[in-house]
Amino acid sequence: MDDDERVLAERTIPEIVAYLRAIEDDEGADRLERQALRPQGQSLAAAILPTKYLRSGLVVGFVPNEGEQTRAIVDANTIEPEVDLKGRRVKVTLDQFFVQEYPGIGTHRILCEFAGRNQIADDIEELKFTLMVEAADRQPAAVIGKPIFMGLTIGEDGMNFRGQTVNICSRTDDLILDAINGDAFKGGLTLAATLQPALKPFVGLATNVVKAAIKRSLNMPVFKFDIGLDFNTRNLSARLRRGSYVIVQTSEAEWDWSRFSFAAQTRRVLRRADGQSLEANYFVIGIDDFAGEAARPAARPSRRPAAKSEQ
């Protein structure tokens, strides 16, 4: 991996502190330096755990499309897959991006890149889509149901979905922002049922936009994820079915989804104990039938006994 592409959590404490001071987040830098002076016997990971953007792992939960306004969240590796999705075209949407804590002060500008593969017959199209969002700490970005991939064809083995976020603090990125905010990026990536030669230049543009942003000294990758959603019930991978996937940035050793619920109207993850928001950065990604293809009846969600996820 290129040194520029390491997320913030993979860097040394001095590197992180230097970055925070460069973007004028002196309070965050001071706090991290104090946390690094940990008691004897305490690991560095435990010392910096309170800093939400320095968590490098993830957990994935699942929420069904149907149900009450307040819904249960279950481990995505315990649900039954919907095998009728094989060979079908689906839409993938960004239904929520909640920012609990990001580097910097005030309103954060965050570049989000999503990647996947479109399976058409024996060929595969590489996909990438990029958008810029703004949010302050402990607030959601102003996106609900934002199209990412429209008409993505599901392969026999399911789908792969990847993403990353980049904290944008450079003052010289107007050209990058203009490219992202242009018409080409506004409506998501709409795919055809056949290979599209014109898709490669678009994917190349999205890739180059992100690479250019990362190379700026004041911009920093914060979170990356790579999730396989398949139909195999005999392994511990996440399963694919219509619904919403909650992708949480965390390094906690154990995770119990029964402690949380999903508010369907606001797309927020709440603690059951007090109704307050989950204190973590997270995405909610929706997967459903593509409107250009008639939907088949979906099986009722079912799952095996829930087990704790380990990171």
Side-chain angles (χ1 to χ4, degrees):
M1 179 186 295
D2 190 302
D3 188 65
D4 290 336
E5 297 179 357
R6 291 180 299 150
V7 297
L8 198 58
E10 295 173 341
R11 298 169 187 263
T12 66
I13 293 297
E15 287 177 320
I16 299 171
V17 169
Y19 172 70
L20 293 176
R21 297 206 185 282
I23 62 174
E24 301 178 358
D25 188 357
D26 291 322
E27 181 180 343
D30 293 341
R31 183 174 65 250
L32 184 58
E33 286 182 325
R34 290 194 301 270
Q35 291 169 346
L37 297 174
R38 56 197 184 281
Q40 185 174 5
Q42 183 184 30
S43 68
L44 178 60
I48 66 175
L49 190 60
T51 306
K52 305 302 186 293
Y53 56 77
L54 293 181
R55 301 182 178 190
S56 57
L58 76 153
V59 293
V60 184
F62 177 82
V63 182
N65 281 338
E66 303 83 13
E68 303 294 331
Q69 284 299 313
T70 300
R71 303 176 190 174
I73 309 174
V74 298
D75 288 335
N77 64 352
T78 65
I79 61 176
E80 289 297 322
E82 290 181 324
V83 295
D84 69 304
L85 285 172
K86 291 182 180 181
R88 291 185 63 88
R89 300 174 70 198
V90 301
K91 62 179 180 181
V92 181
T93 55
L94 175 59
D95 292 342
Q96 180 68 277
F97 177 28
F98 187 84
V99 175
Q100 175 65 28
E101 182 183 15
Y102 253 63
I105 55 178
T107 299
H108 309 290
R109 294 189 304 172
I110 304 170
L111 177 63
C112 302
E113 179 191 55
F114 301 103
R117 292 177 178 175
N118 193 37
Q119 181 77 50
I120 300 178
D122 295 328
D123 294 304
I124 295 177
E125 288 180 318
E126 295 292 337
L127 309 175
K128 284 194 178 179
F129 182 73
T130 305
L131 72 156
M132 182 76 74
V133 300
E134 295 186 353
D137 285 347
R138 298 176 293 282
Q139 296 292 328
V143 289
I144 291 181
K146 175 71 175 179
I148 299 176
F149 302 135
M150 304 297 287
L152 182 146
T153 302
I154 301 296
E156 287 293 311
D157 294 323
M159 63 175 283
N160 175 253
F161 187 65
R162 308 183 304 279
Q164 71 168 322
T165 64
V166 181
N167 196 47
I168 301 295
C169 291
S170 174
R171 301 291 193 271
T172 59
D173 281 332
D174 289 342
L175 291 178
I176 293 175
L177 298 180
D178 287 345
I180 293 172
N181 292 328
D183 291 339
F185 286 93
K186 284 184 177 179
L189 190 58
T190 301
L191 307 169
T194 57
L195 289 176
Q196 300 169 266
L199 191 61
K200 287 186 177 180
F202 182 89
V203 171
L205 173 61
T207 301
N208 291 333
V209 163
V210 176
K211 286 185 176 181
I214 290 175
K215 288 187 179 297
R216 307 283 192 182
S217 62
L218 297 184
N219 300 335
M220 179 68 64
V222 174
F223 180 47
K224 293 185 180 183
F225 64 84
D226 189 340
I227 300 170
L229 302 173
D230 62 31
F231 305 104
N232 192 338
T233 60
R234 296 187 298 275
N235 59 32
L236 296 179
S237 61
R239 281 50 179 274
L240 178 61
R241 67 178 297 123
R242 298 167 182 84
S244 298
Y245 289 84
V246 183
I247 304 170
V248 181
Q249 179 182 0
T250 181
S251 293
E252 293 189 24
E254 295 184 344
W255 190 273
D256 184 359
W257 280 112
S258 68
R259 296 186 293 118
F260 304 98
S261 62
F262 184 76
Q265 186 172 9
T266 60
R267 276 79 164 178
R268 298 275 286 269
V269 178
L270 307 177
R271 297 193 300 253
R272 287 188 180 275
D274 57 11
Q276 297 301 305
S277 292
L278 165 65
E279 294 181 349
N281 303 316
Y282 62 87
F283 287 104
V284 178
I285 302 295
I287 297 179
D288 208 344
D289 291 295
F290 178 52
E293 182 167 281
R296 301 174 186 171
R300 290 178 62 84
S302 61
R303 61 186 178 94
R304 293 170 290 175
K308 290 183 178 180
S309 300
E310 293 188 359
Q311 195 50 238

